[in-house]
Every structure is written in C-alpha cells, then in structure tokens.
Amino acid sequence: MNAGQAIGPPASVPATAAFTQADAETAVESLGDLADAWKHQDCAKVGHLTTWVENTLGGRVCEAARSARSTASGRAVPDTSWGSGVGRYRDPEFLVPGTAATDDEDGAWFAVLARRPEPAYFVFVRSEGRWRLGAGPIPLIGPAPKRADEVGNVDDEPDVAVRAKLVPTRYVTFLTDPAGVSGVKFASGDPMRGLLTELVRAPGRVRPDRLSVDVRIEGSPRALALPDGSALVFHALRLVHAQEPGPGRSTLAHPRYAAGDVRAFTGKSGPRSITAEELVLVATKVSKNNRLTTVALRRTLADIAQSKPM
C-alpha cells in the first residue's frame, strides 16, 4: 500500500454511489503521506491524516518524539516505527461493511487487510469530510485468513451486533478479574492470557514502589459480520499504570518505563511519581457461540505524565 500503488481491479471494492474504488485508493494511498509525516515528526500533518485511536497516539507520541529527536540515540524515543512504516504495506484486501458502502457522511468506515510484508489490519474512518486512518497497522498474530468472499453490516443481524458490541467490555472484565469468576475466557496461547499475567504480576515486580493498574475501553468498537455467523471487531483498550515510590523513599526504585521515554514525555529525568498510558489496538473474532479469539494486536506507549502521589 505504498503511495501511488495501484490497488487492484475495481471489482475488489463494492462500488456504490457513495463508496467507490477511487475512495479506497485515496484512503490507502494516504498512508505514504502519513509515513512521511511520522518520519519528519510533522505532528500537524499526522493529526490531519488520522482519527480515532491513531489520532490519539499522533498527539502526545508525536510531540514526545519531536522533543526527543535531538537527544535520542540508537532506537527512537518513544518508538514511532509503526507510524513511519505504514507506507510499506501492500496487497490490500478490502472489508467493507454496509454502512460504508451506502453512507458518505462522517462515521462511515471500512477495513483493509494488507497481506505484505506482514499481514496487518487497517481501519479507515470518514471524518470531517475525508477518509483518515483510524487504526493500524494491527499485526495479525497467526496466519492471514483466506480472502473473504463477503462481509456485512452487523446492524443487519441483531444477534451478531449484540455479541460484537460487548467485546471490549468482556476484554476489560477478563483483564481485571484474575480469579476468573466472571466466566470470560480465552483459549491457551491467546495474548490476552499473557497480558493478564503481566498485569497481575506488575505490582510485585516494582516493589518497594507502589503500582496501580487500570484497564479502560478506548472509543467505540467497529465490527464486520462474517458469513459463518461470527464477527470481526476492531477496538482498543487503554492501560493506565500509576507508579510512586514506596514508604520512606523519594525516588522510584524500579521505574517501569525507560528513562529516555520518561524524559521525552515529561521533560524530566526522574519524576517522583508517574502515570503511564498504553493503547492496545485489537482485532477480535467473536464466534457464533460467543467465543473470543484475539486475531491481531498492537500495543503502543501513548503517554507518560508526572503525577501526584497516590
């Protein structure tokens, strides 16, 4: 999906009066401009080309990267490689819900599965009269699925719509319920099980520092109905880590985040207490029998701020 690349034959996108092949091409080709904006830390341009989750990241992360440009050595601080790399994706498959094919107003959306160089999902949203990147890349965890012959609007299938709408809430329930009393489950090997273990163990690993962890829903999910009665849901979670020194200490004993990242976001080398936020972009398949499977995921540091003691 490099700028200027041919997207494919017109039949690859459902053509209607409101949503055409030209719309898809314009949206996807904008990834080249977005990659250039990230490369040069042009934060205003990043904001212009993004919405939803990517716009949230494009604010504080871009500003922190720009302020750290003169001091960072080796790796980028903070990591913005996902942004500067969006222009390299290609071989797109378009996944268009009914709302995008019939509605040219703000809020319409469609998804893309880019199959090379590594499979990843992108979500484009119509905002302020133009198509912008809302989420992506969201790298697939396993092999790319077979090309979808048909996807639909979950609102046309009430049972599917209910299951899809509850997906983010069920993720939060799982990640804040280490005892498992809620009944929300993920199969062995699903990254959510590893994330739950990490969140449970995190406070113990920073002792004598004190650490609180909160999991929140970021924005509203967007979902596609699949032919087998399942749904593909794109959503995001916000992980909030508040860390402060233990009793009798004035500095953190075990800072959770690298000094370079803390300095880039806060402008300070060692604030006494910090609140750090990460965004987790997720693509989830919720089956006909309501089973959750995480099929794609990206986790990105979104902000670090100096905070008041807990």
Side-chain angles (χ1 to χ4, degrees):
M1 289 192 293
N2 295 317
Q5 177 187 349
I7 303 301
S12 64
V13 175
T16 70
F19 186 81
T20 66
Q21 180 75 15
D23 292 320
E25 290 182 0
T26 299
V28 173
E29 288 174 358
S30 71
L31 292 179
D33 293 333
L34 180 58
D36 185 70
W38 272 113
K39 180 180 178 181
H40 295 96
Q41 276 95 49
D42 186 341
C43 301
K45 189 174 182 179
V46 170
H48 179 77
L49 295 170
T50 57
T51 187
W52 194 27
V53 186
E54 294 301 334
N55 191 262
T56 299
L57 289 168
R60 289 288 291 132
V61 174
C62 185
E63 292 171 5
R66 184 165 58 185
S67 68
R69 180 163 42 179
S70 61
T71 59
S73 59
R75 71 178 183 90
V77 179
D79 180 17
T80 58
S81 58
W82 89 91
S84 56
V86 293
R88 68 194 179 102
Y89 288 90
R90 57 193 184 277
D91 191 13
E93 174 186 350
F94 295 89
L95 306 171
V96 183
T99 51
T102 59
D103 183 4
D104 63 350
E105 299 299 324
D106 284 359
W109 69 281
F110 69 96
V112 171
L113 172 57
R115 294 182 175 272
R116 294 186 294 167
E118 299 91 23
Y121 285 111
F122 292 81
V123 177
F124 290 91
V125 180
R126 191 169 179 84
S127 173
E128 298 182 2
R130 60 183 179 275
W131 292 100
R132 308 188 196 200
L133 179 64
I138 313 175
L140 265 68
I141 295 166
K146 294 181 180 179
R147 292 188 180 270
D149 295 329
E150 182 180 356
V151 295
N153 181 4
V154 294
D155 293 333
D156 296 334
E157 304 180 40
D159 291 343
V160 179
V162 170
R163 283 186 271 119
K165 184 177 181 180
L166 291 176
V167 165
T169 301
R170 295 178 69 196
Y171 269 71
V172 172
T173 298
F174 177 81
L175 293 173
T176 55
D177 176 32
V181 297
S182 68
V184 180
K185 297 180 179 179
F186 287 87
S188 176
D190 193 288
M192 286 304 109
R193 293 182 61 157
L195 179 55
L196 174 61
T197 299
E198 176 190 330
L199 297 181
V200 169
R201 293 177 178 176
R205 288 178 170 171
V206 300
R207 287 176 184 156
D209 299 338
R210 291 181 290 185
L211 178 71
S212 67
V213 183
D214 191 19
V215 184
R216 305 170 186 172
I217 297 172
E218 183 74 13
S220 301
R222 290 174 168 83
L224 296 161
L226 302 179
D228 62 358
S230 63
L232 181 63
V233 184
F234 301 98
H235 59 109
L237 304 173
R238 184 180 289 265
L239 308 180
V240 182
H241 298 84
Q243 184 179 3
E244 70 168 4
R249 295 186 58 89
S250 60
T251 59
L252 297 175
H254 302 290
R256 182 172 174 82
Y257 295 90
D261 288 323
V262 173
R263 186 167 52 252
F265 280 103
T266 68
K268 300 179 181 296
S269 297
R272 183 176 186 274
S273 301
I274 63 170
T275 298
E277 302 185 5
E278 301 178 29
L279 288 181
V280 183
L281 284 64
V282 190
T284 300
K285 183 176 182 180
V286 54
S287 69
K288 194 172 183 178
N289 62 4
N290 216 22
R291 181 175 300 172
L292 298 173
T293 304
T294 305
V295 297
L297 182 144
R298 187 181 106 222
R299 182 175 172 182
T300 303
L301 179 61
D303 194 11
I304 300 176
Q306 183 175 5
S307 58
K308 296 179 181 179
M310 291 182 283

